[in-house]
Amino acid sequence: MQKQLLLDLTERAGWTGAQAALGLAVTELADIPMWWAAPVALALASAKSWVAGRLGRAGTASTLPAAADPASHPTGI
C-alpha cells in the first residue's frame, strides 16, 4: 500500500473511533438513551470537518498535512 493511502486510512479510522467513543461518553454522562450516540457522533464528525476545512488544507476536510494528504497529490487513477 502507498504511504499516503495508509496515512489517510489511519486518519479516517482514528477520527471515526474518537467520534464514536465521544458519542458514547456523552450519552453515558448525560444519562440519555444509547441510540443518541450516533447523532452525537455525526455532529462531532461534521464539526471536525468544518474546523479542518478552515484550519487545514484548503478545499479538503483532512487534518493531514499537505505533504501526506492524498488529495494534494492525485494519482490519476
Side-chain angles (χ1 to χ4, degrees), residues 3-58:
K3 181 182 176 184
Q4 290 178 333
L5 177 62
L6 281 174
L7 287 171
D8 189 42
L9 181 100
T10 302
E11 177 202 20
R12 290 171 189 252
W15 278 114
T16 299
Q19 292 154 359
L22 281 171
L24 289 170
V26 165
T27 58
E28 183 68 27
L29 291 172
D31 198 28
I32 56 177
M34 193 59 65
W35 68 265
W36 277 99
V40 169
L42 175 64
L44 290 168
S46 298
K48 190 277 306 177
S49 295
W50 185 84
V51 170
R54 273 125 191 96
L55 298 178
R57 190 171 130 340

